Amino acid sequence: MSAHQEKVCENNIGNLDVYKSYKKSPYLSFKHSSYFQVYADLFEKYKDKYITFVEIGVLNGGSLFMWRDYFGPNARIIGVDFNPLAKKWESEGFEIHIGSQSDSIFWERFFNAVGPVDIVLDDGGHTFEQQIITVHNCIPNINDEGLIVVEDTHTSYFKSFGYPSKYSFIEWTKKLIDNINSRFPSVKVSVLQYNKYIYSITAFESIISFKINRKKCFENESTSNDGITSNAADFRYEGSKIANINIFEQRISKILNWLKYISIIKLIKNKLFESVKILLTKKELIKLKRFF
Ligand SMILES: C[S@@+](CC[C@H](N)C(=O)[O-])C[C@H]1O[C@@H](n2cnc3c(N)ncnc32)[C@H](O)[C@@H]1O
């Protein structure tokens, strides 16, 4: 057994259907070994379904055959590449579109021609611009319960691609995490509009997957099951300095109520205590520094 085969056994990828399809493909394809488990986790439920699957990056055609074998005959497999020679794979029954993934006009024409799709896998040029423009343009054209999966996101850490940069793909993904959290009513840290489409973001080593589902992207609100309460105290701040401040605040509130003070004083008191608690919280957070 070769050293490569031994690694395949050791990592348990040899038994994955997607790896078998990769090995079966008659044409050359290069994929990193950790990707097969991720493909299996993300794509399993789409097998044998009537899906439209798009891969950006055709090169020697090997992955087109792999995807056809893996997803089965019901899947429509579309390849995108900047290299016009990729057109030759049309004779094998694949749909091929030639253009640059960093060109928004290309994407407009592409989706006008092919319609909405279920999965987009970006294995193209892997620059930050290509990755960001691709995700930006594909998201509105992906069906609910579909995915856009970006490979080789390790380029965000490569000096040759511009690392360190606040405009890397991974830095942008962090902004999108802020954006989906901005569906929570009091969190308005991001005004980007992706959170109307992206239900969840999953980060793997070298791969980011965005799950699209417009119906699951609603504004969050509190609910109650109207069950019986035991009026249990919330111990969130128990043992911290904030617990003492809370007790002190309750006493002041009682006195203010008793003296029937006008609401402006209550308002000032609330603001004052809020500021003190924020300051204290920030001070206490410094002890988390060791986790960062
Ligand atoms: C890593 S290879 C694809 C490998 C293929 N998916 C496989 O597994 O065998 C990258 C491909 O992306 C294409 N590419 C590079 N820049 C591109 C761009 N801006 N738009 C579209 N395709 C691009 C290249 O021509 C090349 O064929």
Side-chain angles (χ1 to χ4, degrees):
M1 202 187 266
S2 71
H4 168 72
Q5 281 168 327
E6 271 176 28
K7 271 257 174 247
V8 164
C9 290
E10 193 183 302
N11 298 329
N12 281 328
I13 58 173
N15 291 330
L16 298 173
D17 287 349
V18 68
Y19 184 76
K20 289 178 188 161
S21 298
Y22 170 68
K23 294 300 274 183
K24 241 197 256 172
S25 172
Y27 296 97
L28 186 64
S29 170
F30 293 109
K31 294 283 187 191
H32 293 283
S33 61
S34 66
Y35 292 6
F36 296 99
Q37 186 60 61
V38 179
Y39 294 150
D41 290 348
L42 292 175
F43 298 155
E44 181 73 22
K45 76 168 195 172
Y46 303 93
K47 278 186 87 177
D48 302 318
K49 300 274 164 38
Y50 287 87
I51 58 153
T52 301
F53 176 90
V54 181
E55 185 172 36
I56 302 149
V58 172
L59 201 64
N60 294 295
S63 52
L64 292 175
F65 288 82
M66 157 187 168
W67 297 123
R68 182 152 74 191
D69 186 71
Y70 178 68
F71 287 111
N74 298 330
R76 180 181 171 200
I77 307 290
I78 303 176
V80 168
D81 208 292
F82 208 2
N83 183 346
L85 291 180
K87 272 278 177 195
K88 73 174 189 171
W89 299 111
E90 283 181 339
S91 64
E92 296 282 348
F94 299 106
E95 291 175 48
I96 303 295
H97 290 257
I98 302 301
S100 175
Q101 66 178 134
S102 50
D103 175 3
S104 292
I105 294 166
F106 163 72
W107 285 116
E108 199 183 321
R109 288 198 196 115
F110 174 83
F111 286 111
N112 280 340
V114 307
V117 303
D118 297 291
I119 301 174
V120 177
L121 177 65
D122 179 2
D123 185 21
H126 310 305
T127 69
F128 308 156
E129 186 190 23
Q130 289 165 346
Q131 291 170 331
I132 292 169
I133 291 182
T134 298
V135 174
H136 173 82
N137 284 286
C138 291
I139 278 178
N141 295 290
I142 295 174
N143 290 322
D144 283 347
E145 281 304 290
L147 299 172
I148 174 150
V149 179
V150 183
E151 290 190 356
D152 287 17
T153 55
H154 44 241
T155 58
S156 282
Y157 307 96
F158 286 0
K159 275 191 178 156
S160 54
F161 282 73
Y163 175 82
S165 167
K166 64 177 180 177
Y167 300 116
S168 76
F169 182 72
I170 290 290
E171 289 301 326
W172 189 63
T173 302
K174 292 178 194 170
K175 295 275 174 209
L176 299 195
I177 294 173
D178 290 342
N179 189 229
I180 63 172
N181 279 299
S182 295
R183 283 203 291 268
F184 193 83
S186 62
V187 178
K188 290 287 167 256
V189 291
S190 167
V191 293
L192 299 173
Q193 295 298 300
Y194 303 102
N195 63 5
K196 303 208 164 21
Y197 303 88
I198 302 172
Y199 172 57
S200 63
I201 301 175
T202 310
F204 303 89
E205 175 251 297
S206 300
I207 294 180
I208 299 284
S209 170
F210 302 90
K211 182 162 224 170
I212 306 303
N213 196 320
R214 294 153 188 80
K215 291 185 207 82
K216 292 181 180 173
C217 291
F218 50 83
E219 194 180 28
N220 199 354
E221 58 183 72
S222 280
T223 70
S224 159
N225 68 350
D226 296 322
I228 299 163
T229 177
S230 11
N231 289 317
D234 183 343
F235 269 38
R236 180 183 300 170
Y237 297 114
E238 204 57 22
S240 78
K241 287 183 183 131
I242 292 181
N244 298 335
I245 299 278
N246 281 340
I247 293 167
F248 184 52
E249 186 184 7
Q250 278 162 16
R251 282 190 193 143
I252 299 277
S253 297
K254 268 189 193 159
I255 295 168
L256 289 180
N257 282 343
W258 183 63
L259 291 173
K260 300 208 174 355
Y261 264 90
I262 48 174
S263 55
I264 186 80
I265 297 187
K266 284 184 187 164
L267 205 76
I268 293 168
K269 185 249 358 162
N270 286 346
K271 282 273 164 223
L272 198 75
F273 274 96
E274 194 184 303
S275 309
V276 171
K277 282 189 259 184
I278 289 172
L279 271 175
L280 260 181
T281 303
K282 283 195 179 288
K283 203 169 157 246
E284 294 212 344
L285 285 177
I286 291 168
K287 66 181 175 219
L288 295 179
K289 199 175 169 187
R290 68 183 199 280
F291 294 107
F292 282 78

